[in-house]
Amino acid sequence: MSELFDAVDALVASRAPLPPAEERKRLRQAHGLTLDEVAGALKVRRATVSGWESVKKPTEPRGPEREAYARLLDKLAELYPAPVAAPAAAPDMPTDEPAPAERTPSTGQAPEGTAVTAHEDTRAPVTAAAPDPASTAGNTSTSHRPHARRAAPAGAPADGADPRFENGPLAVVDVDTDGQVLAYCTGGLVLEVPAKSLPSLVEWTLKEARLGQPRLSGPGKDADPLLVLTEAALRRYGLPVALTEEERLAGRIPEGHKVVKQLVRADWKLTKRGFGPWARIYRPAQGSERACVQLCIPSWNALDARHWGGAGQLPPAELARVLGVYASRVMTPRGSTAVTGLELMTALHPPTRASGPDPAGKRHSEHNPGSLGKDPVDPAPCEAPDGHPLLADLPRFHVRGPAEKLFEEAYDWARPMTDAECMRRHLVGIDVNMAFAAGANGLVVGLGAPTHVKAPAFDPKLPGSWLVDLSHVDLSRVKAGKEWVELDGDLLPSPFTPKGERPKGPAWYATPTVAYAVELGYDVRPIEAYVRYDNGRYLDGWYQRLRDAYLATMADLGVHADLTPADFLTAMDGHRERDPELAVVVSAIKATVKGGLGKLRERPRGEGWRPGRPWRALARPTWRPDIRAAVISRTRINLHRKIVKHAAFTGQYPVAVLSDCVVYATDGTGPLDFLPYRDGRPLPGGFKLGVNPGLVKHEGTQTVLWGEEVRDRFDAPELNLARYIKDGAVTGIDNGE
């Protein structure tokens, strides 16, 4: 009889309804499961599970796999029900940040005494539910007041929008000519602000403004509302328009400032960073009630011009648009682009999650699988930068060599041109799009502490740091794919050192570097290693979100992913001038990639630090120099692989390489004059023109005579011309620091 019941259960399960593909993916990610983990449990291929979650054309599981998959989804749905207005309790917070909780949902009605107004816009209609900020331009009038005011409809937000945050993630607060304080939101929406002081502004933001952003991951927390204060708003609320030199160096205004005292009297707190360009104002969490607002003050240099261009000088509506596009596609800024890049990793992989209910029906905080956890881990000694506490016993002026220190950095290599190259007419530079983001894609990195092993067998799937001698690898004869090829090794940079020099003995390398030596056809015998058995593709979601943000913004600028090589080059020509505001967003997205990776090995920043003593960044679980090294290693190897493929097929060798830019000598003036396209198809495994991360674009063209003249002028036959190829301006020898 039991067999008959089992057969009936299996028959029912074989037709069990499954949730939509989007919900399947949400449930998997909410539990921190990777595609590989689900595929392994169900004994299917990774691509099969990916197909079940495909939004465009999902496939349906069959047979016993469907029964098991439906059971998995049912269990996950119990743990992570679909989001509703009242979200689950938030996980623990670091000690220097306000504790997480949630704001009370808005009733959907406009607050009493606060008029919601629509900003007149010539390019997009305005409703209470703001449209995509990328498609909505700000007011170009010199007046900060909207051309006309009318009450915006108080209806429900657009489908899929969170009613708690229906006015968007942020607002730029300004004061118009009549003295009225206005909050410019994304989509052209303008709110009248009744607050007379900074504490009341914070209260208004949390209780009435309906600003914020939903969490990016199930176990995570919602983004706090961001207020950007213009110079007029700073004056209105008693804050200085600019910091003094002393305040700038300290990164904050004094604790005795009258506005800080106002906040203290109103029971508001500041994080350890104090009241600086990116201030966080909060109250300790009360149950599930979160009370935190972040301020951005452009005139205090919150928006670094290197990454945000002239965004800090934009009128309020335009600035709201720029920051709104970035927030909707990346995340609400939490500080500099570097800080935001790091915070995005945590937002996508929160360190903790809610456990299943215990016998008493209560849930507890537990480790979130696939995350870095909530506690920092020490690096391996070879991974620790100079001055780290792990190296405190070294002699004071000891200089660690390659056999003591992992040194995975981007390329900075150049060589003198050959006689044949000097006879060419031009130097053409090509640049890899989002190179470091592409290097992070699919990369397996360590999640926990390292394990020291002696004389290990090399495993290319095991992340870690390996002490191995790669000096025997001869670039004159390597494997390119499955075939051995003969090359001029003297014209190629070594893939194992940033300066392109051939190794002279044992040195520490990250896993991708050692794996590439094996790929080139050579045996490796590690002497020792620090490996991480707890590992995963931690950066996949981070890469995908930044990739999507980059591609969407470039598409808005007229550069699409499906263009032919010639059309792509044409579209890239002058694309920044088509919409300078969105061009700023592109720059900020790129800076988020590089800055976020750099933060993984943040160095001391003053504060009386001395070598051998810990510094603040070491207390973060995301202080992981090994992950940074692995990404840089893979990025450099990806570039070298393309260089070798190109050389083997065309006989052309690079003259200079700087990070993700490669310069070739050629008779033509553009990439299509030397990249081996045939019938519109690129060389497999070589350079390919396109906007996607990992593909290349035209960086710049100069004459060969320019290159020789520059090197002669500075008496530097190996001056890295890739540093100057874009515009040809050379004001002095740059050491690359």
Side-chain angles (χ1 to χ4, degrees), residues 196-230:
K196 304 298 184 184
S197 66
L198 191 63
S200 61
L201 176 64
V202 174
E203 294 275 5
W204 172 83
T205 302
L206 292 172
K207 294 180 179 180
E208 302 177 5
R210 285 176 280 178
L211 296 173
Q213 189 176 38
R215 65 191 69 183
L216 297 180
S217 175
K221 63 179 186 294
D222 297 325
D224 298 313
L226 173 65
L227 296 181
V228 185
L229 303 184
T230 66

PDB file of all heavy atoms in Angstrom, residues 196-230:
ATOM      1  N   LYS A 196      12.438  73.332  10.046  1.00  0.00           N
ATOM      2  CA  LYS A 196      13.151  74.581  10.326  1.00  0.00           C
ATOM      3  C   LYS A 196      14.561  74.343  10.854  1.00  0.00           C
ATOM      4  O   LYS A 196      15.358  75.276  10.940  1.00  0.00           O
ATOM      5  CB  LYS A 196      12.372  75.416  11.356  1.00  0.00           C
ATOM      6  CG  LYS A 196      10.930  75.719  10.963  1.00  0.00           C
ATOM      7  CD  LYS A 196      10.860  76.540   9.688  1.00  0.00           C
ATOM      8  CE  LYS A 196       9.412  76.906   9.359  1.00  0.00           C
ATOM      9  NZ  LYS A 196       9.314  77.639   8.065  1.00  0.00           N
ATOM     10  N   SER A 197      14.880  73.117  11.255  1.00  0.00           N
ATOM     11  CA  SER A 197      16.203  72.790  11.789  1.00  0.00           C
ATOM     12  C   SER A 197      16.631  71.443  11.241  1.00  0.00           C
ATOM     13  O   SER A 197      15.804  70.692  10.686  1.00  0.00           O
ATOM     14  CB  SER A 197      16.171  72.753  13.318  1.00  0.00           C
ATOM     15  OG  SER A 197      15.361  71.678  13.771  1.00  0.00           O
ATOM     16  N   LEU A 198      17.901  71.112  11.418  1.00  0.00           N
ATOM     17  CA  LEU A 198      18.380  69.832  10.902  1.00  0.00           C
ATOM     18  C   LEU A 198      17.721  68.657  11.624  1.00  0.00           C
ATOM     19  O   LEU A 198      17.315  67.690  10.959  1.00  0.00           O
ATOM     20  CB  LEU A 198      19.899  69.751  10.999  1.00  0.00           C
ATOM     21  CG  LEU A 198      20.515  68.567  10.256  1.00  0.00           C
ATOM     22  CD1 LEU A 198      20.255  68.681   8.760  1.00  0.00           C
ATOM     23  CD2 LEU A 198      22.019  68.487  10.512  1.00  0.00           C
ATOM     24  N   PRO A 199      17.580  68.674  12.957  1.00  0.00           N
ATOM     25  CA  PRO A 199      16.870  67.555  13.596  1.00  0.00           C
ATOM     26  C   PRO A 199      15.451  67.369  13.065  1.00  0.00           C
ATOM     27  O   PRO A 199      15.014  66.233  12.843  1.00  0.00           O
ATOM     28  CB  PRO A 199      16.871  67.945  15.076  1.00  0.00           C
ATOM     29  CG  PRO A 199      18.081  68.805  15.244  1.00  0.00           C
ATOM     30  CD  PRO A 199      18.166  69.582  13.965  1.00  0.00           C
ATOM     31  N   SER A 200      14.749  68.467  12.839  1.00  0.00           N
ATOM     32  CA  SER A 200      13.383  68.322  12.308  1.00  0.00           C
ATOM     33  C   SER A 200      13.400  67.869  10.853  1.00  0.00           C
ATOM     34  O   SER A 200      12.468  67.188  10.396  1.00  0.00           O
ATOM     35  CB  SER A 200      12.616  69.635  12.445  1.00  0.00           C
ATOM     36  OG  SER A 200      13.239  70.678  11.710  1.00  0.00           O
ATOM     37  N   LEU A 201      14.454  68.202  10.110  1.00  0.00           N
ATOM     38  CA  LEU A 201      14.593  67.709   8.736  1.00  0.00           C
ATOM     39  C   LEU A 201      14.752  66.195   8.735  1.00  0.00           C
ATOM     40  O   LEU A 201      14.159  65.491   7.900  1.00  0.00           O
ATOM     41  CB  LEU A 201      15.790  68.377   8.056  1.00  0.00           C
ATOM     42  CG  LEU A 201      16.128  67.886   6.638  1.00  0.00           C
ATOM     43  CD1 LEU A 201      14.984  68.217   5.676  1.00  0.00           C
ATOM     44  CD2 LEU A 201      17.434  68.508   6.141  1.00  0.00           C
ATOM     45  N   VAL A 202      15.541  65.677   9.669  1.00  0.00           N
ATOM     46  CA  VAL A 202      15.723  64.232   9.778  1.00  0.00           C
ATOM     47  C   VAL A 202      14.394  63.568  10.136  1.00  0.00           C
ATOM     48  O   VAL A 202      14.020  62.531   9.558  1.00  0.00           O
ATOM     49  CB  VAL A 202      16.819  63.907  10.816  1.00  0.00           C
ATOM     50  CG1 VAL A 202      16.913  62.400  11.037  1.00  0.00           C
ATOM     51  CG2 VAL A 202      18.161  64.465  10.368  1.00  0.00           C
ATOM     52  N   GLU A 203      13.667  64.153  11.082  1.00  0.00           N
ATOM     53  CA  GLU A 203      12.362  63.611  11.473  1.00  0.00           C
ATOM     54  C   GLU A 203      11.403  63.601  10.283  1.00  0.00           C
ATOM     55  O   GLU A 203      10.697  62.616  10.034  1.00  0.00           O
ATOM     56  CB  GLU A 203      11.771  64.462  12.606  1.00  0.00           C
ATOM     57  CG  GLU A 203      12.535  64.397  13.913  1.00  0.00           C
ATOM     58  CD  GLU A 203      12.135  63.215  14.772  1.00  0.00           C
ATOM     59  OE1 GLU A 203      11.327  62.391  14.302  1.00  0.00           O
ATOM     60  OE2 GLU A 203      12.642  63.113  15.902  1.00  0.00           O
ATOM     61  N   TRP A 204      11.356  64.703   9.559  1.00  0.00           N
ATOM     62  CA  TRP A 204      10.466  64.787   8.400  1.00  0.00           C
ATOM     63  C   TRP A 204      10.822  63.725   7.362  1.00  0.00           C
ATOM     64  O   TRP A 204       9.939  63.085   6.764  1.00  0.00           O
ATOM     65  CB  TRP A 204      10.573  66.181   7.783  1.00  0.00           C
ATOM     66  CG  TRP A 204       9.854  66.318   6.475  1.00  0.00           C
ATOM     67  CD1 TRP A 204       8.538  66.558   6.284  1.00  0.00           C
ATOM     68  CD2 TRP A 204      10.430  66.198   5.162  1.00  0.00           C
ATOM     69  NE1 TRP A 204       8.251  66.605   4.936  1.00  0.00           N
ATOM     70  CE2 TRP A 204       9.401  66.386   4.223  1.00  0.00           C
ATOM     71  CE3 TRP A 204      11.728  65.964   4.696  1.00  0.00           C
ATOM     72  CZ2 TRP A 204       9.621  66.336   2.853  1.00  0.00           C
ATOM     73  CZ3 TRP A 204      11.946  65.910   3.320  1.00  0.00           C
ATOM     74  CH2 TRP A 204      10.895  66.096   2.427  1.00  0.00           C
ATOM     75  N   THR A 205      12.108  63.524   7.138  1.00  0.00           N
ATOM     76  CA  THR A 205      12.551  62.545   6.143  1.00  0.00           C
ATOM     77  C   THR A 205      12.061  61.145   6.497  1.00  0.00           C
ATOM     78  O   THR A 205      11.587  60.404   5.623  1.00  0.00           O
ATOM     79  CB  THR A 205      14.084  62.550   6.048  1.00  0.00           C
ATOM     80  OG1 THR A 205      14.531  63.865   5.701  1.00  0.00           O
ATOM     81  CG2 THR A 205      14.575  61.567   5.006  1.00  0.00           C
ATOM     82  N   LEU A 206      12.164  60.794   7.758  1.00  0.00           N
ATOM     83  CA  LEU A 206      11.797  59.439   8.164  1.00  0.00           C
ATOM     84  C   LEU A 206      10.287  59.243   8.254  1.00  0.00           C
ATOM     85  O   LEU A 206       9.787  58.155   7.975  1.00  0.00           O
ATOM     86  CB  LEU A 206      12.440  59.107   9.515  1.00  0.00           C
ATOM     87  CG  LEU A 206      13.971  58.986   9.503  1.00  0.00           C
ATOM     88  CD1 LEU A 206      14.504  58.846  10.916  1.00  0.00           C
ATOM     89  CD2 LEU A 206      14.407  57.798   8.649  1.00  0.00           C
ATOM     90  N   LYS A 207       9.558  60.274   8.632  1.00  0.00           N
ATOM     91  CA  LYS A 207       8.133  60.106   8.892  1.00  0.00           C
ATOM     92  C   LYS A 207       7.241  60.490   7.724  1.00  0.00           C
ATOM     93  O   LYS A 207       6.127  59.970   7.601  1.00  0.00           O
ATOM     94  CB  LYS A 207       7.733  60.922  10.124  1.00  0.00           C
ATOM     95  CG  LYS A 207       8.370  60.418  11.414  1.00  0.00           C
ATOM     96  CD  LYS A 207       7.933  61.256  12.604  1.00  0.00           C
ATOM     97  CE  LYS A 207       8.536  60.742  13.913  1.00  0.00           C
ATOM     98  NZ  LYS A 207       8.117  61.562  15.083  1.00  0.00           N
ATOM     99  N   GLU A 208       7.698  61.399   6.870  1.00  0.00           N
ATOM    100  CA  GLU A 208       6.788  61.943   5.870  1.00  0.00           C
ATOM    101  C   GLU A 208       7.297  61.882   4.430  1.00  0.00           C
ATOM    102  O   GLU A 208       6.492  61.870   3.505  1.00  0.00           O
ATOM    103  CB  GLU A 208       6.457  63.406   6.217  1.00  0.00           C
ATOM    104  CG  GLU A 208       5.843  63.589   7.587  1.00  0.00           C
ATOM    105  CD  GLU A 208       5.587  65.048   7.924  1.00  0.00           C
ATOM    106  OE1 GLU A 208       5.802  65.898   7.048  1.00  0.00           O
ATOM    107  OE2 GLU A 208       5.173  65.341   9.057  1.00  0.00           O
ATOM    108  N   ALA A 209       8.604  61.869   4.247  1.00  0.00           N
ATOM    109  CA  ALA A 209       9.130  62.043   2.885  1.00  0.00           C
ATOM    110  C   ALA A 209       8.987  60.811   2.016  1.00  0.00           C
ATOM    111  O   ALA A 209       9.014  60.912   0.788  1.00  0.00           O
ATOM    112  CB  ALA A 209      10.600  62.453   2.961  1.00  0.00           C
ATOM    113  N   ARG A 210       8.846  59.640   2.621  1.00  0.00           N
ATOM    114  CA  ARG A 210       8.734  58.388   1.869  1.00  0.00           C
ATOM    115  C   ARG A 210       9.901  58.206   0.898  1.00  0.00           C
ATOM    116  O   ARG A 210       9.726  57.943  -0.294  1.00  0.00           O
ATOM    117  CB  ARG A 210       7.397  58.331   1.137  1.00  0.00           C
ATOM    118  CG  ARG A 210       6.223  58.034   2.064  1.00  0.00           C
ATOM    119  CD  ARG A 210       4.898  58.064   1.346  1.00  0.00           C
ATOM    120  NE  ARG A 210       4.421  59.429   1.160  1.00  0.00           N
ATOM    121  CZ  ARG A 210       3.318  59.745   0.526  1.00  0.00           C
ATOM    122  NH1 ARG A 210       2.571  58.795  -0.009  1.00  0.00           N
ATOM    123  NH2 ARG A 210       2.950  61.010   0.405  1.00  0.00           N
ATOM    124  N   LEU A 211      11.106  58.326   1.454  1.00  0.00           N
ATOM    125  CA  LEU A 211      12.344  58.131   0.694  1.00  0.00           C
ATOM    126  C   LEU A 211      13.043  56.869   1.185  1.00  0.00           C
ATOM    127  O   LEU A 211      12.968  56.519   2.359  1.00  0.00           O
ATOM    128  CB  LEU A 211      13.280  59.329   0.859  1.00  0.00           C
ATOM    129  CG  LEU A 211      12.800  60.676   0.323  1.00  0.00           C
ATOM    130  CD1 LEU A 211      13.774  61.774   0.729  1.00  0.00           C
ATOM    131  CD2 LEU A 211      12.637  60.635  -1.192  1.00  0.00           C
ATOM    132  N   GLY A 212      13.741  56.214   0.290  1.00  0.00           N
ATOM    133  CA  GLY A 212      14.496  55.017   0.640  1.00  0.00           C
ATOM    134  C   GLY A 212      14.534  54.072  -0.541  1.00  0.00           C
ATOM    135  O   GLY A 212      14.040  54.376  -1.634  1.00  0.00           O
ATOM    136  N   GLN A 213      15.120  52.909  -0.313  1.00  0.00           N
ATOM    137  CA  GLN A 213      15.265  51.933  -1.396  1.00  0.00           C
ATOM    138  C   GLN A 213      15.149  50.534  -0.814  1.00  0.00           C
ATOM    139  O   GLN A 213      15.766  50.232   0.217  1.00  0.00           O
ATOM    140  CB  GLN A 213      16.621  52.117  -2.094  1.00  0.00           C
ATOM    141  CG  GLN A 213      16.792  51.306  -3.359  1.00  0.00           C
ATOM    142  CD  GLN A 213      18.121  51.627  -4.041  1.00  0.00           C
ATOM    143  OE1 GLN A 213      19.126  51.840  -3.378  1.00  0.00           O
ATOM    144  NE2 GLN A 213      18.117  51.685  -5.369  1.00  0.00           N
ATOM    145  N   PRO A 214      14.376  49.646  -1.459  1.00  0.00           N
ATOM    146  CA  PRO A 214      14.244  48.281  -0.927  1.00  0.00           C
ATOM    147  C   PRO A 214      15.574  47.542  -0.950  1.00  0.00           C
ATOM    148  O   PRO A 214      16.471  47.847  -1.729  1.00  0.00           O
ATOM    149  CB  PRO A 214      13.233  47.631  -1.889  1.00  0.00           C
ATOM    150  CG  PRO A 214      12.539  48.771  -2.553  1.00  0.00           C
ATOM    151  CD  PRO A 214      13.529  49.878  -2.629  1.00  0.00           C
ATOM    152  N   ARG A 215      15.674  46.570  -0.076  1.00  0.00           N
ATOM    153  CA  ARG A 215      16.887  45.759   0.038  1.00  0.00           C
ATOM    154  C   ARG A 215      17.213  45.061  -1.271  1.00  0.00           C
ATOM    155  O   ARG A 215      16.327  44.742  -2.071  1.00  0.00           O
ATOM    156  CB  ARG A 215      16.717  44.737   1.161  1.00  0.00           C
ATOM    157  CG  ARG A 215      15.632  43.705   0.868  1.00  0.00           C
ATOM    158  CD  ARG A 215      15.295  42.877   2.093  1.00  0.00           C
ATOM    159  NE  ARG A 215      14.623  43.674   3.097  1.00  0.00           N
ATOM    160  CZ  ARG A 215      14.272  43.227   4.293  1.00  0.00           C
ATOM    161  NH1 ARG A 215      14.541  41.979   4.628  1.00  0.00           N
ATOM    162  NH2 ARG A 215      13.656  44.001   5.154  1.00  0.00           N
ATOM    163  N   LEU A 216      18.484  44.786  -1.477  1.00  0.00           N
ATOM    164  CA  LEU A 216      18.938  44.103  -2.686  1.00  0.00           C
ATOM    165  C   LEU A 216      18.974  42.594  -2.513  1.00  0.00           C
ATOM    166  O   LEU A 216      19.105  41.858  -3.488  1.00  0.00           O
ATOM    167  CB  LEU A 216      20.332  44.603  -3.087  1.00  0.00           C
ATOM    168  CG  LEU A 216      20.428  46.089  -3.455  1.00  0.00           C
ATOM    169  CD1 LEU A 216      21.853  46.446  -3.839  1.00  0.00           C
ATOM    170  CD2 LEU A 216      19.469  46.437  -4.578  1.00  0.00           C
ATOM    171  N   SER A 217      18.913  42.132  -1.264  1.00  0.00           N
ATOM    172  CA  SER A 217      18.954  40.700  -0.996  1.00  0.00           C
ATOM    173  C   SER A 217      17.981  40.390   0.125  1.00  0.00           C
ATOM    174  O   SER A 217      17.777  41.223   1.029  1.00  0.00           O
ATOM    175  CB  SER A 217      20.376  40.271  -0.604  1.00  0.00           C
ATOM    176  OG  SER A 217      20.421  38.910  -0.224  1.00  0.00           O
ATOM    177  N   GLY A 218      17.395  39.197   0.109  1.00  0.00           N
ATOM    178  CA  GLY A 218      16.401  38.825   1.097  1.00  0.00           C
ATOM    179  C   GLY A 218      16.809  39.052   2.532  1.00  0.00           C
ATOM    180  O   GLY A 218      16.070  39.663   3.310  1.00  0.00           O
ATOM    181  N   PRO A 219      18.000  38.583   2.961  1.00  0.00           N
ATOM    182  CA  PRO A 219      18.392  38.771   4.361  1.00  0.00           C
ATOM    183  C   PRO A 219      18.923  40.167   4.667  1.00  0.00           C
ATOM    184  O   PRO A 219      19.262  40.448   5.817  1.00  0.00           O
ATOM    185  CB  PRO A 219      19.521  37.732   4.558  1.00  0.00           C
ATOM    186  CG  PRO A 219      19.516  36.874   3.345  1.00  0.00           C
ATOM    187  CD  PRO A 219      18.910  37.679   2.251  1.00  0.00           C
ATOM    188  N   GLY A 220      19.010  41.024   3.675  1.00  0.00           N
ATOM    189  CA  GLY A 220      19.629  42.338   3.884  1.00  0.00           C
ATOM    190  C   GLY A 220      18.681  43.340   4.500  1.00  0.00           C
ATOM    191  O   GLY A 220      17.637  43.004   5.057  1.00  0.00           O
ATOM    192  N   LYS A 221      19.056  44.605   4.400  1.00  0.00           N
ATOM    193  CA  LYS A 221      18.244  45.678   4.966  1.00  0.00           C
ATOM    194  C   LYS A 221      17.985  46.728   3.888  1.00  0.00           C
ATOM    195  O   LYS A 221      18.752  46.868   2.932  1.00  0.00           O
ATOM    196  CB  LYS A 221      18.947  46.316   6.163  1.00  0.00           C
ATOM    197  CG  LYS A 221      20.268  46.998   5.848  1.00  0.00           C
ATOM    198  CD  LYS A 221      20.861  47.617   7.099  1.00  0.00           C
ATOM    199  CE  LYS A 221      22.121  48.431   6.783  1.00  0.00           C
ATOM    200  NZ  LYS A 221      23.235  47.623   6.305  1.00  0.00           N
ATOM    201  N   ASP A 222      16.910  47.447   4.055  1.00  0.00           N
ATOM    202  CA  ASP A 222      16.571  48.517   3.120  1.00  0.00           C
ATOM    203  C   ASP A 222      17.599  49.634   3.215  1.00  0.00           C
ATOM    204  O   ASP A 222      18.197  49.875   4.274  1.00  0.00           O
ATOM    205  CB  ASP A 222      15.185  49.075   3.434  1.00  0.00           C
ATOM    206  CG  ASP A 222      14.091  48.038   3.273  1.00  0.00           C
ATOM    207  OD1 ASP A 222      14.220  47.199   2.370  1.00  0.00           O
ATOM    208  OD2 ASP A 222      13.130  48.055   4.068  1.00  0.00           O
ATOM    209  N   ALA A 223      17.801  50.328   2.096  1.00  0.00           N
ATOM    210  CA  ALA A 223      18.729  51.461   2.081  1.00  0.00           C
ATOM    211  C   ALA A 223      18.089  52.651   2.781  1.00  0.00           C
ATOM    212  O   ALA A 223      16.903  52.940   2.600  1.00  0.00           O
ATOM    213  CB  ALA A 223      19.089  51.826   0.645  1.00  0.00           C
ATOM    214  N   ASP A 224      18.872  53.331   3.587  1.00  0.00           N
ATOM    215  CA  ASP A 224      18.380  54.524   4.273  1.00  0.00           C
ATOM    216  C   ASP A 224      18.198  55.662   3.280  1.00  0.00           C
ATOM    217  O   ASP A 224      18.901  55.731   2.258  1.00  0.00           O
ATOM    218  CB  ASP A 224      19.369  54.952   5.353  1.00  0.00           C
ATOM    219  CG  ASP A 224      19.548  53.883   6.413  1.00  0.00           C
ATOM    220  OD1 ASP A 224      18.535  53.360   6.888  1.00  0.00           O
ATOM    221  OD2 ASP A 224      20.704  53.558   6.749  1.00  0.00           O
ATOM    222  N   PRO A 225      17.267  56.588   3.552  1.00  0.00           N
ATOM    223  CA  PRO A 225      17.103  57.744   2.661  1.00  0.00           C
ATOM    224  C   PRO A 225      18.344  58.612   2.660  1.00  0.00           C
ATOM    225  O   PRO A 225      19.024  58.758   3.684  1.00  0.00           O
ATOM    226  CB  PRO A 225      15.905  58.480   3.261  1.00  0.00           C
ATOM    227  CG  PRO A 225      15.818  58.017   4.671  1.00  0.00           C
ATOM    228  CD  PRO A 225      16.322  56.610   4.683  1.00  0.00           C
ATOM    229  N   LEU A 226      18.644  59.172   1.506  1.00  0.00           N
ATOM    230  CA  LEU A 226      19.808  60.046   1.336  1.00  0.00           C
ATOM    231  C   LEU A 226      19.329  61.463   1.047  1.00  0.00           C
ATOM    232  O   LEU A 226      18.524  61.674   0.142  1.00  0.00           O
ATOM    233  CB  LEU A 226      20.683  59.543   0.185  1.00  0.00           C
ATOM    234  CG  LEU A 226      21.860  60.436  -0.220  1.00  0.00           C
ATOM    235  CD1 LEU A 226      22.890  60.531   0.903  1.00  0.00           C
ATOM    236  CD2 LEU A 226      22.507  59.923  -1.514  1.00  0.00           C
ATOM    237  N   LEU A 227      19.818  62.414   1.811  1.00  0.00           N
ATOM    238  CA  LEU A 227      19.552  63.825   1.576  1.00  0.00           C
ATOM    239  C   LEU A 227      20.834  64.504   1.122  1.00  0.00           C
ATOM    240  O   LEU A 227      21.871  64.388   1.779  1.00  0.00           O
ATOM    241  CB  LEU A 227      19.042  64.514   2.846  1.00  0.00           C
ATOM    242  CG  LEU A 227      17.706  64.045   3.415  1.00  0.00           C
ATOM    243  CD1 LEU A 227      17.355  64.868   4.649  1.00  0.00           C
ATOM    244  CD2 LEU A 227      16.596  64.145   2.369  1.00  0.00           C
ATOM    245  N   VAL A 228      20.762  65.194   0.000  1.00  0.00           N
ATOM    246  CA  VAL A 228      21.900  65.953  -0.524  1.00  0.00           C
ATOM    247  C   VAL A 228      21.636  67.425  -0.228  1.00  0.00           C
ATOM    248  O   VAL A 228      20.624  67.977  -0.674  1.00  0.00           O
ATOM    249  CB  VAL A 228      22.058  65.718  -2.041  1.00  0.00           C
ATOM    250  CG1 VAL A 228      23.308  66.418  -2.556  1.00  0.00           C
ATOM    251  CG2 VAL A 228      22.109  64.217  -2.347  1.00  0.00           C
ATOM    252  N   LEU A 229      22.519  68.054   0.514  1.00  0.00           N
ATOM    253  CA  LEU A 229      22.306  69.438   0.942  1.00  0.00           C
ATOM    254  C   LEU A 229      23.091  70.397   0.049  1.00  0.00           C
ATOM    255  O   LEU A 229      24.317  70.302  -0.046  1.00  0.00           O
ATOM    256  CB  LEU A 229      22.736  69.617   2.398  1.00  0.00           C
ATOM    257  CG  LEU A 229      22.057  68.710   3.438  1.00  0.00           C
ATOM    258  CD1 LEU A 229      22.527  69.076   4.840  1.00  0.00           C
ATOM    259  CD2 LEU A 229      20.537  68.805   3.335  1.00  0.00           C
ATOM    260  N   THR A 230      22.375  71.299  -0.606  1.00  0.00           N
ATOM    261  CA  THR A 230      23.039  72.328  -1.404  1.00  0.00           C
ATOM    262  C   THR A 230      23.606  73.404  -0.475  1.00  0.00           C
ATOM    263  O   THR A 230      23.367  73.409   0.739  1.00  0.00           O
ATOM    264  CB  THR A 230      22.052  72.977  -2.380  1.00  0.00           C
ATOM    265  OG1 THR A 230      21.060  73.693  -1.613  1.00  0.00           O
ATOM    266  CG2 THR A 230      21.368  71.924  -3.251  1.00  0.00           C
TER     267      THR A 230
END
